[in-house]
């Protein structure tokens, strides 16, 4: 077998030199001419069954997506641009689940990394299971859940595969969670899988306006925080459903200046101010029903009910209703939303600052 390195070298040189000819030297159809193609040719020459050599069965992926939409039909054409598109998706992760022919059990591959190639396809550093081990069909699970490197959200318990998700509490740090699943046999696709990604969280977008009651007042907002929303959950990959949603926390909704940093702003009574960098920037929440506090409830008695805390100044000249010339003071509003079927949809909310705002004890501030 000492001649094998020479055969490899000569074959690779031949493929590279003739790559521009009409013959298809991309033997495995992965969009690249490399050593994997050489090995397929060499194995053929030596009489080795390529189907039985798992290390030379790469996973190649073509991707598309279902974009974010408004949940009501009359608004779906207004703005369909998602926060994360497959055109900007440079990398994602992959696991395979397949029936082991030898044991009869379901096996799961290790998490593998997938990156975009120059031809627009995605190349994975894992491989298909060999024919003598894996079944003819596999569950392919693809996902991007965080900007953090080497995070492993994929879990597999009692033959149930799921993603363990925890949403970031600052909209600045959030990642639009994309998931794609496909059941496919290697023999049917020759190793090239077509995936369609879904946005599995609800996309919220907030804007702020003041009511006519405060038209003669200047309202300056420094920060808005959404309190008591669940942040953790399991996304079940086979049923594409959420479960075990828990862990109440707070989300900071920032107002942005042109440089993208938090900045105080003056609220208008004629045009709402968007609390986002642009119209394609969202707060992503796990689908859930959010119940707001009742009017008149003190904040220390909220008991996991949701509300908005608005740090602001409200004044006429030097006459301050809330805050002072050098400080901001919090006012509060109940917040409720049914997001149980909200995955993949944009949910716009307008925060109205007027007679509904309350102090921390639940008392009205403006009558």
């Amino acid at each position: 077998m000492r001649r094998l390195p020479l055969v490899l070298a000569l074959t690779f040189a031949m493929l590279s030199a003739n790559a521009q000819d009409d013959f298809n030297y991309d033997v495995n159809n992965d969009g690249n001419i490399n050593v994997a193609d050489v090995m397929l040719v060499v194995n053929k020459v030596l009489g080795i069954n390529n189907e039985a050599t798992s290390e030379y069965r790469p996973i190649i992926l073509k991707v598309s997506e279902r974009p974010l939409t408004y949940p009501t039909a009359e608004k779906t054409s207004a703005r369909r641009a998602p926060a994360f598109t497959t055109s900007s998706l440079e990398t994602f992760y992959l696991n395979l689940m397949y029936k082991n022919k030898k044991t009869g059990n379901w096996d799961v591959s290790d998490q593998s990394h997938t990156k975009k190639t120059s031809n627009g396809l995605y190349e994975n550093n894992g491989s298909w299971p060999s024919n003598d081990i894996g079944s003819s069909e596999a569950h392919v699970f693809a996902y991007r859940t965080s900007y953090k490197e080497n995070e492993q959200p994929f879990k597999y318990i009692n033959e149930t595969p799921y993603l363990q998700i925890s949403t970031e509490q600052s909209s600045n740090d959030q990642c639009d969670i994309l998931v794609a699943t496909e059941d496919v046999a290697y023999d049917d696709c020759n190793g090239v899988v077509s995936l369609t990604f879904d946005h599995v969280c609800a996309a919220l977008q907030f804007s702020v306006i003041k009511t006519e009651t405060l038209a003669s007042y200047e309202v300056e907002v420094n920060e808005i925080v959404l309190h008591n929303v669940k942040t953790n959950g399991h996304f079940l990959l086979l049923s594409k459903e959420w479960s075990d949603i828990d862990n109440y926390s707070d989300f900071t909704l920032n107002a942005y200046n042109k440089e993208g940093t938090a900045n105080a702003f003056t609220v208008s009574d004629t045009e709402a101010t968007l609390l986002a960098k642009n119209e394609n920037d969202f707060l992503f929440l796990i689908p859930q029903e959010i119940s707001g506090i009742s009017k008149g409830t003190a904040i220390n008695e909220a008991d996991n009910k949701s509300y908005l805390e608005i740090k602001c100044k409200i004044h006429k000249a030097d006459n301050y209703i809330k805050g002072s010339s050098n400080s901001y003071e919090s006012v509060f509003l109940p917040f409720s939303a049914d997001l149980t079927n909200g995955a993949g949809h944009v949910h716009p909310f307008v925060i109205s600052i007027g007679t509904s705002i309350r102090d921390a004890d639940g008392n009205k501030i403006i009558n």
Side-chain angles (χ1 to χ4, degrees):
M1 293 301 291
R2 289 185 179 180
R3 61 177 179 158
L4 184 57
L6 178 60
V7 173
L8 281 171
L10 291 174
T11 307
F12 188 72
M14 178 193 72
L15 294 181
S16 300
N18 295 281
Q20 303 302 318
D21 293 348
D22 292 335
F23 183 77
N24 179 23
Y25 293 95
D26 182 12
V27 181
N28 59 11
N29 296 312
D30 67 352
N32 297 291
I33 299 172
N34 53 31
V35 71
D37 301 291
V38 175
M39 285 306 303
L40 288 173
V41 174
V42 171
N43 287 345
K44 185 71 174 178
V45 172
L46 298 178
I48 299 173
N49 180 7
N50 286 318
E51 294 299 311
T53 55
S54 62
E55 61 270 34
Y56 303 120
R57 302 203 323 163
I59 305 171
I60 306 300
L61 302 121
K62 298 178 181 178
V63 304
S64 60
E65 62 156 335
R66 277 178 276 270
L68 289 171
T69 62
Y70 278 90
T72 52
E74 65 271 16
K75 289 185 176 181
T76 50
S77 61
R79 185 169 68 241
R80 295 177 60 88
F84 217 157
T85 67
T86 48
S87 62
S88 63
L89 184 63
E90 292 298 325
T91 183
F92 57 89
Y93 299 92
L94 200 74
N95 288 86
L96 299 183
M97 186 172 80
Y98 56 93
K99 199 70 170 285
N100 189 309
K101 290 180 178 179
K102 294 181 177 179
T103 66
N105 299 324
W106 284 98
D107 285 351
V108 175
S109 68
D110 292 335
Q111 176 177 281
S112 55
H113 180 267
T114 301
K115 63 180 180 179
K116 202 170 189 177
T117 62
S118 58
N119 61 4
L121 298 177
Y122 290 79
E123 190 174 55
N124 185 263
N125 65 356
S127 63
W128 291 87
S130 61
N131 269 354
D132 62 333
I133 296 178
S135 62
S136 58
E137 187 173 79
H139 299 295
V140 180
F141 304 126
Y143 48 89
R144 182 65 191 269
T145 63
S146 171
Y147 291 118
K148 299 174 182 176
E149 296 296 329
N150 301 318
E151 190 169 52
Q152 298 196 9
F154 182 88
K155 308 295 178 184
Y156 182 69
I157 298 177
N158 298 327
E159 297 189 356
T160 300
Y162 65 91
L163 297 176
Q164 185 170 297
I165 303 297
S166 180
T167 50
E168 295 287 345
Q169 296 170 11
S170 170
S171 57
N172 260 354
D173 301 323
Q174 283 197 324
C175 176
D176 180 9
I177 298 174
L178 294 179
V179 178
T181 66
E182 187 64 46
D183 297 340
V184 64
Y186 177 88
D187 293 341
D188 293 337
C189 68
N190 199 26
V192 182
V193 182
S194 294
L195 294 174
T196 301
F197 279 94
D198 287 302
H199 303 261
V200 300
C201 282
L204 282 67
Q205 198 162 61
F206 293 85
S207 55
V208 183
I209 197 169
K210 65 180 179 182
T211 65
E212 291 184 5
T213 307
L214 293 179
S216 60
Y217 286 84
E218 188 166 344
V219 179
E220 301 174 58
V221 171
N222 172 253
E223 186 180 44
I224 299 180
V225 179
L226 175 60
H227 289 267
N228 295 337
V229 176
K230 294 176 182 177
T231 60
N232 294 354
H234 294 167
F235 185 77
L236 306 179
L237 289 163
L238 293 179
S239 64
K240 298 183 179 180
E241 297 175 331
W242 285 93
S243 71
D244 301 307
I245 303 171
D246 58 16
N247 189 36
Y248 287 94
S249 192
D250 306 330
F251 289 85
T252 299
L253 316 177
N254 288 321
Y256 296 92
N257 62 21
K258 291 181 180 179
E259 287 71 40
T261 55
N263 187 43
F265 64 97
T266 300
V267 182
S268 169
D269 62 340
T270 58
E271 184 177 357
T273 300
L274 186 66
L275 292 178
K277 296 176 183 176
N278 52 57
E279 290 192 345
N280 296 329
D281 185 41
F282 307 99
L283 173 70
F284 292 100
L285 296 180
I286 293 173
Q288 61 189 279
E289 184 169 0
I290 302 174
S291 299
I293 60 173
S294 301
K295 292 181 179 179
T297 301
I299 295 305
N300 60 7
E301 298 175 355
D303 192 27
N304 285 336
K305 300 296 183 181
S306 184
Y307 60 91
L308 291 160
E309 179 182 2
I310 306 166
K311 298 179 181 179
C312 61
K313 300 176 183 180
I314 304 175
H315 61 101
K316 277 185 182 179
D318 293 331
N319 180 24
Y320 284 82
I321 296 176
K322 279 293 175 181
S324 66
S325 59
N326 56 10
S327 66
Y328 296 88
E329 191 174 356
S330 293
V331 300
F332 303 90
L333 282 171
F335 180 80
S336 299
D338 186 358
L339 305 176
T340 51
N341 296 312
H345 297 305
V346 177
H347 302 265
F349 295 95
V350 178
I351 301 169
S352 295
I353 300 178
T355 56
S356 296
I357 59 174
R358 306 264 176 164
D359 63 20
D361 294 322
N363 302 314
K364 293 187 71 173
I365 295 170
I366 301 169
N367 295 314

